Every structure is written in C-alpha cells, then in structure tokens.
Amino acid sequence: MTAPSALETASTADVPAEAELTDGYHLVVDALKLNDVDTIYGVVGIPITDLARLAQAQGIRYIGFRHESNAGHAAAAAGYLTKRPGVALTVSAPGFLNGLVALANATTNCFPMVQISGSSERHLVDLKQGDYEEMDQLAAAQPFVKAAYRVSRVEDIGRGIARALRTAISGRPGGVYLDIPAAVLGSIMDAEEGAKTLSRLVDPAPRQLPAPEAVDRAIEILAGARRPLVVLGKGAAYAQADERIREFIESTGIPYVPMSMAKGLLPDNHPQSAATARSLALRKADVVVLLGARLNWLLNHGEAPQWNPDAKFIQVDIEPKELDSNQPIAAPLVGDIESVLEVLAERTKPGQITAPTAWREELAARSAQNVAKMAERLKADPHPMQFMGALKAVRDVVHERPETYIVNEGANALDIARNVIDMQVPRHRLDSGTWGVMGIGMGYAIAAAVETGAPVVAVEGDSAFGFSGMELETICRYKLPVVTVIMNNGGVYRGDDINPLETDPSPTTLMLQARHDLMIEAFGGKGYRATTPAEVTAALTEALASGGPALIDCAIDPSAGTESGHIAHLNPKGITVGNITPAKK
Ligand code: ADP
C-alpha cells in the first residue's frame, strides 16, 4: 500500500485560489532545515512516505532502516555525537511503538533526540472508532520521554518543531516525541503565511553557569582532600568540553576513572587514569568529583563496600534533580560542564588543589600490577578461540587507527571489550549505556558512520547482534564503512547450556554453527569467518582498508563466557540459579 500524496489528502477550503500554497509536509521540512537538521533516520509508510521523499528532495539526508527501533537508536547516537538533536521518523501505532524503545533509551542516556511520528485521524482515534493504526500516541509516549507534543494545526508545525528541538537539547538532553497527525501533514495554507510560522532557535542550549559560592564550596572540599578522584561520565563526553576537562585533570593531578563511554576523553594510557585500579580508587577515595556521571547502578549507587563510606561527593551536573539521588552531595555544582570548569579554574588559587603524591603513587602501583596481569592473560592463545584472544586482535588493529569508532554490546563481549580495547579519542566508544540495553548495535554503528564518515567497528555478542542484524542490509545499501565483528559462542552468555529434558534447545542456546558472515554476503558485503586471533587480525585489517561493509564472524569457544557477564549479581537469587536444581518437596 502506498501513502496518499500530499495533494490527495489536502483540504484547500480556507485558501484563496490565486495564493501560492504550501502544506504540512513542506512546512515540516522547511522547519527542520531552518534549524540545521541535515539527516533523518526512519522507516517510511503511511502517512510519512512523502515527508521522507520531500526531505530528501530538499537536501536533508534520509537514511531508511528496516526497523524503527534501529532508526531511533541511530538518531539517538547522532544526537550524542553531534550535540544536536538526532531526528527519527516513523509511521503510526506499531512503527511509533517500535521507535519508542529507542526514544526511551535516549532519554535514559541523556541523548538529545526527536521522534516524529505520523498518526491517524484524531476524531476517529479519540472516539476509538477503529481507524487504520489507531492509537493515542501522545498519551502512550508521555511516560517514557522528556516531553511529548502534538501539532494539531498546520500553522503550528514551525512552533512544534522548534519546541521539540529545544526541549531535546537544552538542560539535561533527552528524547522528545512530536506527534503530527496525517491530516495536519496534508493540510494546505498560504505559502507566505506559512513561512511566517517558522522560526530558527536562538541559542538552543544556553550555557548554565554555577553560582560562585557553590564553586567555592567545592574548591574548599577538594583542597582538603587526601585521596581525590574524578569520575568522568558520558555527560562529560557529551559536553564537548574536552580541553577544559583535560586542563582540570592535568593541572590538579587528580586521578580519574572513566565510565565506559567517557573512555578516550583523555587517552586510556594517560598517566592519571586509574581505570586499571578502579576498585581501589573507588574504595579509598575521600573526595569524589562526579563529572557528568550518575551514581546509579553502574557505580553501585555510591555505596560501601565498593565505595569509601566516608567519601564526600562533589557532583557536576546540568540537572539539579539528579543530586542526592543516591548519596548526599557535599558540593552540588549545577551547570554545564564547560561553564562549571571555567568558573572553577577562575576561582581556584594557584596550587590550591593538588592530588597528594602518595595517593597517585598508590594507584599507579596497583595499575601496573593489574596491567601486568592482564598482559599475561592476553598473551595466552588457546584454541578454540576465547573472547580475550579475538578482542586483543581487534584492539591491536584499531589501536593503529584511533579515528575508528567502536560500538559495543553483548554481555561478555561488552565486558571484555570495554577492558581490552583502549580508546584514544573522545566520543569514539558507543555502547549499551545506562540501561545496559541490547539492540543498539547496528543503529549506533550506522549513525557513527553517517555522521562522521569515519570507520566503525561494531563488536557484538552473537545474541545482541540478533536484535538489529537485518540492518546489515541498510549498511550495505548505503555502502557504509562499518565492520561488524561478532563474538559467536553460540549462545546468550555462552553456548553450552543444556535443557535437561532434551526436548528443545536451552533458553540460552543459539545456533553454534551460525554463519553470520554469510548474512552480509546476501547483501553484497564482505563476510569473513575467523577461528584464530591471527585470522581476526587479517580480516579486520583487510576490511578496514577496503572501507566497505564487512562482517567478521569469530568462532569463540562455546564454553567461554559467564552467565550475565560482570552483572550476574543482578539475577534474583532463588534456589534454581544457573543450571536447574530440583526444588525439595
Ligand atoms: P555514565 O553512565 O557515563 O556514568 P550518566 O549517563 O550516568 O553517565 O550521566 C550523565 C550525566 O551527565 C547526566 O546526569 C546528565 O544530566 C549530565 N550531563 C549531560 N550533559 C551535561 C552537560 N553538558 N553538563 C553537565 N552535565 C551534563
């Protein structure tokens, strides 16, 4: 079924015959262009097909996906990478709901994104008369997003888009839903009047400066610290305040721990990085500066025994509601990171904040020990191939190409790659993020390639890859420089679980012999099968040199990996943990 064209659905009742006309489709595209939206990620269908066509014809790049969730994840990643809202476009009801997963994920991760969905006839939806793809999408979106808006009149399109973009990008960034009913898209109005309804945002994400007394409070606490620590989160990466952050870290000498997506903000081999002495750093730090990082589950909520129970927290965040959410914050610094660090630098007296040498040396010694242990583990080259072996090969190849973006999801594939693959440049690692979600892989990879033109290596667990695998076709259709590397151990977590009844495969079993490399060949990409680290190295080197779409299926030992990776403790503890234990009668 094809969508009715703009003119077929138009109502021209109120417009004089001689006037030059515009319609909802044109006004949406004009409003987006006026606000510098240059790319839309979406899936077409009723009622937005002509919108995608028109956007493309008017010079906005349209990237068409196979599933809205993946288009949405791409828009979210685009928002994170560019600091401008990524835009996703979906059809009504089911398409809208598919996209909503990504929009909610963007909100959770604080990525700026706008999902625009077409919707069915309002009067039919509101009386539940059973329209095509009937759903009250505005109400459905509301609980999952930063804000949800609906445009009900064609003359409000400009305002609706401006409002959606500003809401997504200002303050704490997040996902915004914009509902545009089909009838509004098809409405016609005088072109001159229509142009007057559009506006370009002035200062879309205004700076937010902290109060001087708040900064002085933080300086005083830091000046008295004996074991200070900075935690860099993805909010710090997003802020694009790279120079300021480097200056703050290096001028104070404070050791830092990067959260996974903040890796590369300073190169992972930086002498002040305590990433490889993380447990010790958290356990002993007496003053902790949270720079765009939340004290959520990823940081054990700031609780002992992982943290020093007497630690004082200084939290730099643009969102005041975040403060005190888990631990009391001794010095809240509400503002954008660039501004906060600027004021902090201005108000700090020379030499006032310095990290004591004994503390730096203690962490450096632990780091050296841990690095040596890791080097030993990486040296081993057992057969069948283990995660470590395959990922060390990936690490060595991308180390030579620091411009490469890394996308990473899975359980063991995520945990091990995060530790093994060093990052050297800011914002070059995109992963499962705050929810620990699976399914972001191909969407994030496509966005990274589209937005930057740089090569992308997506390191995927075989299970995680399945959520977005059909987008290999999208990668091939747009000829994107994305190399997907699959850690194929034939299972969710691992591939050797057994169903004691031997009826069906166990819940965590996938096909061990699956040839993901053949999938990409179906779409004209290059597939490789690797059974040793040397084969991974050769395949990845060749694939990156070719600049085209490729997939490397790494045959990993099915008994490699642990259940739930590093977060097994989050599984509820009953009497049947892991393999089945019969309950006592
Ligand atoms: P991580 O998972 O890496 O620890 P989080 O996503 O938990 O990071 O935290 C990111 C935090 O950064 C959020 O609380 C968000 O409000 C904040 N943030 C985002 N952008 C900025 C900015 N420009 N300045 C200050 N804080 C920011």
Side-chain angles (χ1 to χ4, degrees), residues 346-365:
E346 278 164 16
R347 299 185 74 83
T348 307
K349 299 186 192 80
Q352 194 179 6
I353 305 175
T354 48
T357 315
W359 170 233
R360 293 179 59 168
E361 286 176 353
E362 185 180 356
L363 292 173

Side-chain angles (χ1 to χ4, degrees), residues 420-431:
V420 169
I421 302 176
D422 290 339
M423 302 306 301
Q424 301 170 68
V425 206
R427 290 172 296 285
H428 273 54
R429 182 186 156 85
L430 296 135
D431 66 28

Side-chain angles (χ1 to χ4, degrees), residues 83 108-110 171-173 231-236 238-239 259-262 291-296 298-299 315-319 322 335-338 433-434:
K83 227 182 166 188
T108 304
N109 282 284
C110 312
R172 170 186 273 178
V231 177
L232 296 174
K234 60 181 170 302
Y238 171 79
M259 300 300 287
S260 63
M261 283 179 60
L291 210 55
R294 287 171 280 186
L295 274 180
N296 55 18
L298 288 159
L299 283 171
Q315 184 157 25
V316 182
D317 206 293
I318 204 157
E319 175 58 71
E322 183 57 38
D336 69 277
I337 286 169
E338 173 101 52
T434 303

Side-chain angles (χ1 to χ4, degrees), residues 294-342:
R294 287 171 280 186
L295 274 180
N296 55 18
W297 69 282
L298 288 159
L299 283 171
N300 296 95
H301 307 281
E303 279 165 13
Q306 284 87 2
W307 290 84
N308 172 359
D310 300 321
K312 288 196 177 118
F313 291 97
I314 297 169
Q315 184 157 25
V316 182
D317 206 293
I318 204 157
E319 175 58 71
K321 284 206 301 281
E322 183 57 38
L323 306 161
D324 303 300
S325 57
N326 286 278
Q327 296 295 326
I329 300 301
L333 284 173
V334 176
D336 69 277
I337 286 169
E338 173 101 52
S339 303
V340 170
L341 292 184
E342 188 181 317

Side-chain angles (χ1 to χ4, degrees), residues 16 217 220 249 254 267 307 314 325 342 399 451 460 491 506 524 547 582:
R217 185 187 297 123
E220 200 174 308
I249 301 276
I254 303 179
W307 290 84
I314 297 169
S325 57
E342 188 181 317
H399 191 81
E451 298 292 334
E460 300 275 312
S506 88

